[in-house]
Amino acid sequence: QVQMVQSGAEVKKPGASVKVSCKASGYTFTSYGISWVRQAPGQGLEWMGWISAYNGNTKYAQKLQGRVTMTTDTSTSTAYMELRSLRSDDTAVYSCARDYSVDTTMPGYWGQGTLLTVSS
Amino acid sequence: EIVLTQSPGTLSLSPGERATLSCRASQSISSSYLAWYQQKPGQAPRLLIYGASSRATGIPDRFSGSGSGTDFTLTISRLEPEDFAVYYCQQYGSSPITFGQGTRLEIK
């Protein structure tokens, strides 16, 4: 079965960077893209971007352009999301999600989420 | 970007009742690329409906989706206790992908 397992919780200071990992299993990694979505405490879902695990093409949310980088390592079936210049309003649960099918970019299979706390 | 507005913000119903949740888009969503997710506290979202009306794998048939263009609906025919949660619509037809603000379905 499809599983997306993320790295553990992080605490960072403002201005720092964080890199969250998402290890996939149960399917052919390069056949599907992966989205990253975040959810601030008590708030709704915010799409951060998407990466093709086939060729590394990316799409990022405009508000995060320049601060976020999404990558994949096909040798370990792992996706990464790096966020730089952290601010307190980056405090959120960050989730990766595999495309539901090969012909859409719709998140279908989600990781368990990684809590990022940004605080001085 | 396409803005999705969900209504109502909170819906209070009893088990066994029918729930109707609405999602309106600021512009037409191409090819009905509209999905619905259910999220319970402390859990990841769960895909319920994609393509406006197709149920995802393993989703009970009491969940149904309808609509096209700018107006979409999620219907839960007879509420079970485990259905009380927050529901989000999402469009994936154009970039950026966007979500509605959510509808909280609570037990009356």
Side-chain angles (χ1 to χ4, degrees):
Chain A
Q1 72 283 19
V2 176
Q3 282 195 304
M4 313 294 283
V5 179
Q6 298 182 223
S7 49
E10 301 264 11
V11 179
K12 297 291 183 181
K13 293 190 182 303
S17 299
V18 69
K19 192 170 187 177
V20 179
S21 67
C22 170
K23 184 169 178 58
S25 62
Y27 70 96
T28 301
F29 182 71
T30 53
S31 295
Y32 298 85
I34 293 174
S35 290
W36 288 87
V37 176
R38 69 180 181 178
Q39 187 169 33
Q43 302 301 307
L45 302 167
E46 179 186 13
W47 179 80
M48 300 178 66
W50 173 90
I51 183 167
S52 165
Y54 174 71
N55 58 17
N57 286 350
T58 54
K59 301 178 186 179
Y60 298 138
Q62 188 168 12
K63 69 177 286 189
L64 295 173
Q65 285 275 4
R67 287 208 300 139
V68 67
T69 301
M70 296 175 188
T71 57
T72 60
D73 181 344
T74 57
S75 69
T76 59
S77 299
T78 303
Y80 297 92
M81 186 284 300
E82 182 180 30
L83 189 60
R84 300 176 292 279
S85 301
L86 291 170
R87 310 187 290 246
S88 58
D89 62 357
D90 291 319
T91 294
V93 173
Y94 289 74
S95 297
C96 63
R98 197 208 82 174
D99 291 344
Y100 182 68
S101 61
V102 295
D103 56 350
T104 78
T105 58
M106 175 190 63
Y109 298 90
W110 294 67
Q112 82 276 19
T114 296
L115 175 62
L116 168 65
T117 303
V118 182
S119 174
S120 55
Chain B
E1 72 177 48
I2 296 178
V3 176
L4 300 178
T5 303
Q6 293 186 239
S7 61
T10 301
L11 186 57
S12 299
L13 294 170
S14 300
E17 291 192 293
R18 180 185 187 91
T20 302
L21 287 66
S22 174
C23 177
R24 176 162 290 179
S26 60
Q27 56 188 280
S28 184
I29 296 175
S30 62
S31 304
S32 293
Y33 284 159
L34 191 284
W36 290 93
Y37 295 85
Q38 175 194 70
Q39 188 178 34
K40 297 179 180 179
Q43 296 186 16
R46 174 193 182 197
L47 177 65
L48 301 174
I49 300 288
Y50 64 96
S53 60
S54 298
R55 271 188 300 277
T57 303
I59 301 303
D61 61 6
R62 65 179 181 274
F63 291 91
S64 63
S66 62
S68 64
T70 60
D71 289 295
F72 298 86
T73 301
L74 173 70
T75 301
I76 311 172
S77 59
R78 289 180 55 209
L79 286 165
E80 298 287 342
E82 63 267 27
D83 298 337
F84 292 90
V86 179
Y87 291 81
Y88 294 94
C89 60
Q90 175 215 48
Q91 69 80 23
Y92 53 100
S94 64
S95 188
I97 288 174
T98 50
F99 290 90
Q101 82 280 15
T103 289
R104 180 177 304 278
L105 178 56
E106 64 177 27
I107 299 177
K108 188 173 182 180

